[in-house]
């Protein structure tokens, strides 16, 4: 992270950025706020990319990161993360249980990773690069044409960037934040919020570049099981992203492989993929709008979506804080691995 303090006090032309800055102002000195990069907009405007942290900074405690707005068209992902951050900030004033929890966990937020793309109304950033295809990592098998990542042209969607170019500033900022705040700890979780795929809400986990299981499969299965036990009627499908498609350049694959360099550490990256096709089914006119394909367009439906996912984000924060009570070891870890292989990799 660069050591730049939040300059609260100006009104951003981007609604999500204004909302985030309002929450930052409400949090005051309870929040650690940094600008990890700035993105050029039109007419000389510049958008900050914020990283916000609260809780115990001690590297000995676990951490969880919440990310949104990686794709500029998927505004609802940023909205969900900002709504959860607001939820926490407002509870800090009166909730003694939350304040005790924060003594044992680190919470990190990057709600709006791609403000330039959101301002332009594009999936990619202002350079035309799809940030979730931007990591220096190639898929091991065939990927869908274009959608799996392409280097042909930034005029086409899912552009990865030139092969020898460094990652985009936004991608680098995300990776630096994850590296400094999450990958330095014995246990960490990341949740990246997206939309636009299918009729069901899905929780995806790596990998996207291969159909092989990730190293921390047993811990992923154990996490899924404690969520199922606590939320019997939850709406999510848990699955590897490779069940749906493979892709080049996935940032979370890249970061998980980095985490595996320290074998004693566990890093569980998750993607909340909200089923936007359901919103289109309920309001077919949305299909004629690029924003409507990825976001609920009716106010009460937007509010319902924000409420719907709050309990999952809060569950993950509690699970990270209490990881020693549920992460499996020894024979129990072998059992979870076997169950996960049978469920997801038959």
């Amino acid at each position: 992270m660069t050591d730049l303090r939040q300059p609260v006090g100006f009104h951003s032309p981007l609604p999500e950025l204004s909302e985030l800055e309002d929450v930052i102002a409400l949090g005051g000195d309870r929040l650690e706020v940094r600008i990890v990069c700035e993105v050029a907009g039109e007419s000389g405007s510049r958008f900050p990319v914020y990283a916000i942290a609260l809780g115990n900074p001690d590297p000995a405690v676990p951490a969880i990161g919440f990310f949104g707005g990686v794709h500029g068209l998927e505004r609802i992902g940023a909205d969900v993360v900002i709504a959860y951050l607001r939820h926490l900030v407002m509870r800090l004033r009166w909730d003694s249980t939350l304040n005790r929890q924060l003594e044992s966990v680190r919470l990190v937020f990057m709600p709006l990773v791609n403000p330039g793309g959101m301002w332009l109304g594009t999936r990619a950033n202002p350079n035309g690069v799809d940030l979730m295809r931007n990591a220096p990592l190639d898929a091991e098998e065939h990927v869908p044409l274009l959608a799996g990542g392409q280097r042909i042209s930034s005029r086409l969607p899912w552009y990865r960037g030139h092969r020898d170019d460094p990652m985009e500033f936004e991608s680098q900022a995300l990776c630096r934040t994850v590296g400094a705040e999450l990958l330095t700890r014995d246990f960490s979780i990341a949740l990246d919020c997206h939309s636009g795929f299918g009729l069901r809400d899905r929780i995806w986990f790596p990998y996207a570049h291969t159909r092989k299981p990730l190293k921390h499969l047993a811990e992923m299965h154990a996490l899924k099981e404690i969520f199922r036990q606590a939320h019997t009627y939850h709406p999510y499908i848990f699955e590897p992203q490779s069940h749906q498609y493979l892709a080049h350049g996935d940032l979370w694959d890249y970061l998980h492989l980095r985490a595996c360099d320290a074998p004693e550490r566990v890093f569980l990256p998750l993607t909340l993929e909200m089923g936007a096709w359901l919103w289109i089914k309920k309001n077919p006119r949305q299909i004629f709008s690029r924003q409507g394909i990825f976001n609920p367009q009716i106010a009460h439906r937007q509010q319902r979506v924000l409420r719907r996912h709050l309990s999952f984000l809060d569950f993950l924060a509690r699970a990270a804080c209490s990881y020693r009570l549920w992460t499996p070891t020894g024979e129990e870890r072998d059992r979870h691995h076997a169950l996960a292989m049978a469920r997801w990799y038959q």
Side-chain angles (χ1 to χ4, degrees):
M1 290 186 181
T2 55
D3 192 13
L4 295 175
R5 187 68 185 175
Q6 145 65 13
V8 174
F10 70 91
H11 181 73
S12 168
L14 189 59
E16 284 77 7
L17 193 52
S18 291
E19 172 74 8
L20 176 58
E21 288 166 347
D22 287 344
V23 174
I24 288 171
L26 286 170
D29 59 9
R30 296 298 301 270
L31 304 180
E32 301 170 36
V33 183
R34 296 178 188 272
I35 297 173
V36 289
C37 74
E38 288 188 328
V39 179
E42 295 178 332
S43 305
S45 61
R46 299 186 69 82
F47 297 107
V49 176
Y50 290 109
I52 303 111
L54 66 160
N56 193 337
D58 186 345
V61 307
I64 179 166
F66 299 96
F67 303 83
V70 172
H71 293 138
L73 276 173
E74 300 171 18
R75 309 179 83 105
I76 189 64
D79 293 339
V80 166
V81 178
I82 294 169
Y84 182 56
L85 179 59
R86 177 182 285 275
H87 167 78
L88 293 173
V89 164
M90 301 313 294
R91 287 172 55 199
L92 284 173
R93 305 175 180 184
W94 57 267
D95 191 340
S96 59
T97 302
L98 173 62
N99 280 278
R100 286 196 299 272
Q101 178 185 340
L102 290 174
E103 295 173 3
S104 303
V105 71
R106 178 76 158 171
L107 305 184
V108 181
F109 292 81
M110 285 185 70
L112 192 45
V113 175
N114 182 12
M118 192 169 289
W119 173 245
L120 294 172
T122 60
R123 175 183 171 93
N125 75 348
N127 292 333
V129 175
D130 185 329
L131 301 180
M132 203 44 70
R133 303 290 185 272
N134 189 220
L137 179 66
D138 292 334
E140 295 179 357
E141 303 176 44
H142 175 75
V143 302
L145 182 65
L146 298 184
Q150 53 86 17
R151 297 194 189 276
I152 302 168
S153 171
S154 61
R155 296 179 180 273
L156 298 172
W158 303 291
Y159 179 59
R160 300 181 62 191
H162 292 296
R163 180 173 298 278
D164 297 325
D165 285 353
M167 285 193 289
E168 296 295 297
F169 288 143
E170 302 93 331
S171 301
Q172 292 184 45
L174 186 151
C175 291
R176 283 199 308 271
T177 302
V178 171
E181 291 281 5
L182 304 185
L183 302 190
T184 54
R185 299 166 188 270
D186 288 344
F187 183 89
S188 59
I189 298 174
L191 180 71
D192 187 14
C193 296
H194 290 256
S195 64
F197 184 90
L199 289 164
R200 296 280 303 277
D201 294 331
R202 287 174 157 79
I203 305 299
W204 281 343
F205 56 86
Y207 290 117
H209 77 286
T210 178
R211 300 188 192 280
K212 298 174 184 175
L214 79 168
K215 176 182 176 181
H216 300 131
L217 185 63
E219 290 79 7
M220 196 68 76
H221 186 268
L223 179 66
K224 179 196 76 72
E225 281 299 290
I226 63 168
F227 181 65
R228 180 189 62 79
Q229 293 162 7
H231 300 268
T232 306
Y233 304 107
H234 73 77
Y236 303 108
I237 297 173
F238 277 76
E239 62 182 4
Q241 184 177 336
S242 60
H243 276 198
Q244 300 301 330
Y245 61 87
L246 297 183
H248 300 299
D250 187 276
L251 289 174
W252 298 112
D253 284 20
Y254 171 71
L255 287 165
H256 185 265
L257 291 173
R258 273 182 55 184
C260 290
D261 290 340
E264 72 283 2
R265 291 176 175 156
V266 175
F267 173 53
L268 303 181
L270 304 168
T271 296
L272 167 57
E273 188 71 28
M274 288 172 269
W277 300 355
L278 181 61
W279 308 327
I280 296 171
K281 180 180 178 182
K282 292 182 176 180
N283 184 27
R285 288 177 296 179
Q286 288 188 202
I287 202 169
F288 299 107
S289 160
R290 281 198 304 170
Q291 292 291 335
I293 294 173
F294 297 96
N295 306 283
Q297 298 293 283
I298 300 173
H300 74 82
R301 193 160 291 136
Q302 168 92 2
Q303 294 164 9
R304 185 179 301 133
V305 171
L306 297 181
R307 293 194 302 270
R308 177 185 181 93
H309 301 296
L310 189 64
S311 62
F312 181 63
L313 273 64
D314 204 47
F315 161 81
L316 289 178
R318 292 169 179 267
C321 182
S322 308
Y323 79 97
R324 290 184 178 87
L325 297 178
W326 61 266
T327 48
T329 59
E331 292 183 359
E332 183 68 4
R333 189 176 191 276
D334 293 340
R335 185 181 73 84
H336 275 287
H337 182 83
L339 290 171
M341 290 297 294
R343 181 180 184 87
W344 292 313
Y345 297 96
Q346 285 273 10

